[in-house]
Amino acid sequence: LPPRVGKSTLCIFFMTWMMGKHPDSASVMSGHSDKLTNGFYNEILNIITDHNTYLWHEVFPLVQLVDKSAKDESVDLGHKKRFPTLTCRSIEGTLTGAVEIGEDGVLYSDDLIADLEESLNPDRLQAKYDAYLNQLKDRKKETALELMVGTRWNVLDPLGRIEEQYQNNSLYRFTVVPALNENDESNFNYDY
């Protein structure tokens, strides 16, 4: 698997686990584009509904899918709620009034910066960081978790700014994993 697919896939599995544990709490998965978040939505739905390939339903036998919307990229488990169990939405999409990250929810951000071109534009980096603060982080309840994953393009991208701001805060943990190991092989290929 390419490094980008591997790390996102691992995080998608984590999100389905959190959804099963906390079906009544809203979570959000965000990224740089609708194409990326639509991939999150489809894979989440696949893990939850494909009983032949995945064991999610065996791990969470009492948690039922009650609603899904490809248009809204949302999945609701347990019972229908104003803020679904999961909403996938690009950072440039409609977030205000549409999403919330509940007390036991997760704000998951993956590749908020699209590419090298965007990373070289200071105005676009600032706009993306402002969108992260005002449209994503603002929707997070105090006890919700946050997981940011992505390719580090620039020290001024949202990942770099969060790391600089909170590097001495014990509530934050930062792990940097290079895409390739010492043999130029992916660090994100897993047997299972």
Side-chain angles (χ1 to χ4, degrees):
L1 297 174
R4 176 178 225 137
V5 172
K7 69 180 186 222
S8 295
T9 300
L10 187 61
C11 292
I12 288 168
F13 276 109
F14 169 73
M15 291 300 294
T16 62
W17 180 69
M18 290 298 288
M19 291 167 66
K21 283 182 62 169
H22 305 287
D24 292 330
S25 199
S27 291
V28 170
M29 295 180 79
S30 190
H32 61 77
S33 68
D34 292 333
K35 184 173 180 85
L36 180 62
T37 60
N38 188 262
F40 297 158
Y41 167 77
N42 286 321
E43 194 57 30
I44 289 278
L45 207 52
N46 192 32
I47 291 168
I48 290 172
T49 60
D50 182 348
H51 304 300
N52 294 321
T53 305
Y54 301 104
L55 299 175
W56 189 90
H57 203 294
E58 289 182 31
V59 175
F60 303 105
L62 302 177
V63 181
Q64 300 298 313
L65 174 67
V66 295
D67 196 29
K68 63 184 176 162
S69 170
K71 178 182 168 232
D72 293 330
E73 295 179 352
S74 65
V75 175
D76 224 349
L77 303 176
H79 64 277
K80 197 162 169 51
K81 301 170 281 302
R82 176 170 183 235
F83 296 111
T85 306
L86 178 71
T87 302
C88 302
R89 192 73 47 98
S90 87
I91 191 164
E92 295 174 353
T94 303
L95 294 159
T96 305
V99 300
E100 174 182 271
I101 299 95
E103 305 263 337
D104 293 316
V106 178
L107 168 55
Y108 170 71
S109 307
D110 189 333
D111 284 330
L112 294 178
I113 303 302
D115 53 28
L116 181 61
E117 180 183 340
E118 182 175 33
S119 78
L120 295 175
N121 185 320
D123 293 333
R124 287 178 70 186
L125 285 177
Q126 183 63 47
K128 194 65 67 102
Y129 183 67
D130 291 343
Y132 158 76
L133 288 178
N134 298 315
Q135 295 179 57
L136 286 174
K137 193 166 183 170
D138 240 20
R139 306 284 172 267
K140 187 170 77 93
K141 301 281 185 178
E142 191 172 320
T143 59
L145 299 176
E146 184 169 355
L147 175 61
M148 293 183 83
V149 175
T151 301
R152 285 295 305 276
W153 293 100
N154 188 313
V155 295
L156 297 177
D157 68 17
L159 281 170
R161 291 180 71 170
I162 295 296
E163 185 174 14
E164 181 183 338
Q165 184 177 0
Y166 295 105
Q167 65 186 339
N168 296 320
N169 186 322
S170 64
L171 296 177
Y172 287 76
R173 292 180 186 87
F174 299 94
T175 303
V176 177
V177 179
L180 302 176
N181 67 20
E182 63 278 354
N183 299 319
D184 286 336
E185 300 164 334
S186 174
N187 273 321
F188 298 94
N189 283 335
Y190 305 102
D191 290 336
Y192 304 98

